[in-house]
Amino acid sequence: MSRPTHRRPAAVTAVLLTASLAGSGGLAAPAAATATATATKSTRPVIDFNGDGYADLAVSAPGGTVSGFSEAGYISVLYGSTAGVDTAHPKLITRATEGVPGDVEQYGAFGRTTAAGDLDGDGYTDLVVGDFSAPAVLWGSAKGLRTGSALPGPAATLATGDINGDGHADLVTKNDQGLQVRYGPFSRAGVPASVQTLPFEDGDHPKAIAVGDMTGDGADDIVTTHSFDDVPGKSRFWAGGKDGLSRTFRTTGHYTTDGVIADVNKDGYGDLVAPQVDQVSEDRDADAGTLRVVYGSASGPSTRTAKITQDTPGVPGTSEAGDHDVNSGDLFGHSLAAGDVTGDGYPDIAVGVPGEDIGSVREAGAVVLLKGSAAGLTGKGAQAFHQSTPGVPGISEEGDYFGRTVLLADVNADHRADLAVATPYEDGRYADSGAVWVLRGSRSGLITGDIASFGPRALGAPEKEARFGDDLAR
């Protein structure tokens, strides 16, 4: 069904961007994270809430009704297993769940932002969940996510990484104070080992954060994107190191929104893959979409770059812009994720194309997989999937925006990342209830056999206007 104009997805606005499921599993596959896939020397840890080696999924539904409060929000956690995502034993996590700090609030949007990492260093991945109040951290354990602790907030954006390279996960947030790094290990009270804050001038606050090791020194770096009054600024590179995050930055030289960092050519330096924009309005709904790859080096972003669109040889589809009125552009690159789908050691990039028309069906949406190689990221061997692809459950419908959220994670621990595609505007019994599909990785790329697909109704979760899949923890 069609969506009113105000529901069209805007251009990517936040990186990183997941309630606990009792089952078997955990996130697997290094570098399987949208916002923080990292270079060879700083491998993104497995997201594994119960420590069994299988990738786990934490799916946000910020529009879900909880305890009678509309748009209070919740998270469903689904553990991985040898058979893939275990949908038979989901667990719902809300502010009303025992052990979760805070109160259920109307329009609270619990789960609107998430980040995953082993903050307390016990070997189990923890989950940080944000809403319009203070974020909460839910602690991993052998039985999965358990009780939580409140963190000082609010935090508009959440990310994890190892900024000082000491082997402990750090939490990166953006709030009214500016850019903040809370260094691990954390205590179970949610207190970090130390805190570093980089203040920003009014109007200069970062809009999005990408975390990954671009310099290959074993410490994660940060790339921030900026804008003021709808006019983007050039993205900024902040180097990580043994003393923490540098207090000075250098520009990447490019206007970008959001992005992921992954070593797509496996040279030991993380590469920034991000939507490329001009110094114009942030209202990007009519954009066809362009990705720019800025390759890493020992000093950070290098002068070597590449541009990829749907007109690039080998990339399925055609690059199509909208009309700034009724029709959305393709929005190639609206969402991004990195992970090794083929098992060849090169991270691949999943590219959401939620504004893609499928035949005569407007804005049905699609996902494109770009494969990493020694030559870097190109269109060679690229694949595309949508709800009209044979073997993919569902039907392409106007305004579904399939591919609005993507994640690459090895849910069956076969050393090949699987693709989770979330479509929060998919209709179930109600409009905008949302749904998720999981396509398996293989030596040749993504395949359509044994696709798992599920929405909140199948998991026994609140369905009405839940926007299930608005975020996937990474």
Side-chain angles (χ1 to χ4, degrees):
M1 68 183 283
S2 61
R3 299 285 181 275
T5 301
H6 74 276
R7 293 213 172 176
R8 298 182 190 283
V12 182
T13 55
V15 178
L16 318 171
L17 317 178
T18 247
S20 177
L21 174 161
S24 55
L27 250 183
T34 295
T36 49
T38 59
T40 301
K41 293 185 180 180
S42 179
T43 302
R44 176 70 174 175
V46 168
I47 300 176
D48 187 358
F49 300 128
N50 61 359
D52 66 355
Y54 297 96
D56 305 323
L57 300 180
V59 184
S60 294
T65 298
V66 177
S67 302
F69 292 97
S70 60
E71 297 186 40
Y74 65 84
I75 288 176
S76 289
V77 177
L78 300 100
Y79 292 97
S81 71
T82 54
V85 176
D86 180 6
T87 59
H89 305 92
K91 183 178 178 181
L92 190 72
I93 295 183
T94 76
R95 287 284 191 185
T97 301
E98 183 178 0
V100 176
D103 299 318
V104 177
E105 296 181 352
Q106 190 168 18
Y107 311 123
F110 185 70
R112 64 187 288 263
T113 57
T114 58
D118 182 10
L119 297 180
D120 59 356
D122 66 352
Y124 300 100
T125 304
D126 311 306
L127 179 66
V128 183
V129 185
D131 56 13
F132 286 108
S133 58
V137 57
L138 308 176
W139 304 108
S141 73
K143 294 185 178 180
L145 292 176
R146 308 289 284 178
T147 57
S149 304
L151 297 177
T157 301
L158 301 168
T160 57
D162 185 2
I163 306 303
N164 57 5
D166 67 353
H168 296 292
D170 309 316
L171 178 65
V172 183
T173 67
K174 184 203 78 167
N175 54 33
D176 292 340
Q177 294 177 297
L179 185 65
Q180 188 175 84
V181 182
R182 307 179 195 186
Y183 292 96
F186 284 60
S187 73
R188 277 299 179 96
V191 178
S194 62
V195 178
Q196 180 185 10
T197 300
L198 275 63
F200 287 87
E201 299 292 332
D202 289 343
D204 201 29
H205 284 245
K207 302 299 181 183
I209 307 167
V211 180
D213 185 7
M214 294 195 73
T215 62
D217 64 354
D220 286 332
D221 312 304
I222 293 176
V223 175
T224 56
T225 59
H226 300 260
S227 65
F228 182 64
D229 284 345
D230 292 340
V231 178
K234 291 181 179 179
S235 55
R236 302 173 182 181
F237 169 79
W238 309 78
K242 62 182 180 60
D243 296 322
L245 191 66
S246 170
R247 301 193 68 86
T248 60
F249 69 88
R250 69 180 180 88
T251 177
T252 66
H254 305 283
Y255 299 99
T256 60
T257 60
D258 214 335
V260 298
I261 297 173
D263 186 9
V264 296
N265 60 354
K266 209 167 63 170
D267 65 353
Y269 304 109
D271 311 307
L272 174 66
V273 183
Q276 178 69 21
V277 298
D278 299 318
Q279 195 176 12
V280 294
S281 170
E282 280 190 304
D283 181 10
R284 316 225 51 93
D285 289 356
D287 279 6
T290 298
L291 289 185
R292 183 177 295 277
V293 185
V294 181
Y295 288 93
S297 71
S299 60
S302 72
T303 56
R304 180 191 173 193
T305 65
K307 185 173 72 172
I308 300 177
T309 73
Q310 285 187 283
D311 291 334
T312 298
V315 178
T318 302
S319 189
E320 297 170 309
D323 55 16
H324 294 280
D325 184 16
V326 176
N327 298 306
S328 170
D330 286 341
L331 301 176
F332 181 79
H334 171 84
S335 54
L336 296 167
D340 183 6
V341 171
T342 62
D344 63 357
Y346 293 93
D348 308 305
I349 302 295
V351 183
V353 197
E356 180 86 341
D357 294 345
I358 305 300
S360 61
V361 183
R362 292 174 42 231
E363 298 153 11
V367 175
V368 169
L369 181 71
L370 303 174
K371 296 178 180 177
S373 69
L377 202 64
T378 69
K380 184 178 180 180
Q383 299 175 280
F385 300 88
H386 44 75
Q387 288 190 76
S388 293
T389 300
V392 176
I395 301 171
S396 293
E397 297 176 303
E398 182 177 338
D400 276 350
Y401 305 114
F402 184 84
R404 187 178 182 275
T405 312
V406 293
L407 176 71
L408 288 171
D410 186 7
V411 296
N412 59 357
D414 66 353
H415 307 294
R416 296 181 176 92
D418 309 300
L419 172 65
V421 183
T423 304
Y425 295 114
E426 177 79 7
D427 294 344
R429 286 186 302 178
Y430 301 95
D432 303 339
S433 54
V436 172
W437 291 253
V438 181
L439 284 69
R440 298 198 178 202
S442 75
R443 183 176 299 178
S444 61
L446 294 169
I447 58 176
T448 56
D450 296 320
I451 292 177
S453 62
F454 48 90
R457 183 183 181 186
L459 305 180
E463 182 180 12
K464 187 175 182 180
E465 298 179 345
R467 300 196 313 278
F468 183 82
D470 197 67
D471 191 24
L472 297 168
R474 60 203 80 231

